[in-house]
Amino acid sequence: IQGRLNRGETPWGEAFEPLSDAYIEAMPRREGGIPLNDTHQHIMNRINSQAGGDYVSVGLLDHPETPGLAMAHQFGIGVPARPFMPIYNGQVDLPQAWTAEVLAIIGRHLDLMR
């Protein structure tokens, strides 16, 4: 996810739609004129995951300075969608290469448990 986000791509390898000039001008800014979302780190730091014995939970964290920014980018609320989590139509939709990698990791783990 982070690698694709750094390249300006969705989890499926599609390029994000460029930001409009109007959006860039209206972008909230920090002290010194630096945009609040000037680096991809800003959104990547909002991805939260937690694993338990029989579950994995992934969610988006928000920051008090920019509430809803991660959700806005993932689902296109007020800006063109820039989905960085592999969710499509409300369901997890892993790219094929990711699915193969996850299954291989699970298979290796099960082999070690034998």
Side-chain angles (χ1 to χ4, degrees), residues 4 8 12 21 24 55 57-58 61 80 88 94 99 104:
R4 292 266 169 103
W12 307 277
D21 292 337
I24 292 170
Y55 73 92
S57 173
V58 178
L61 300 175
Y88 186 75
L94 294 178
T99 301

Side-chain angles (χ1 to χ4, degrees), residues 5-6 30 34-45:
L5 185 58
N6 283 334
R30 286 183 234 142
I34 301 168
L36 287 175
N37 59 351
D38 64 334
T39 69
H40 297 295
Q41 291 295 323
H42 204 62
I43 292 176
M44 284 194 294
N45 291 337

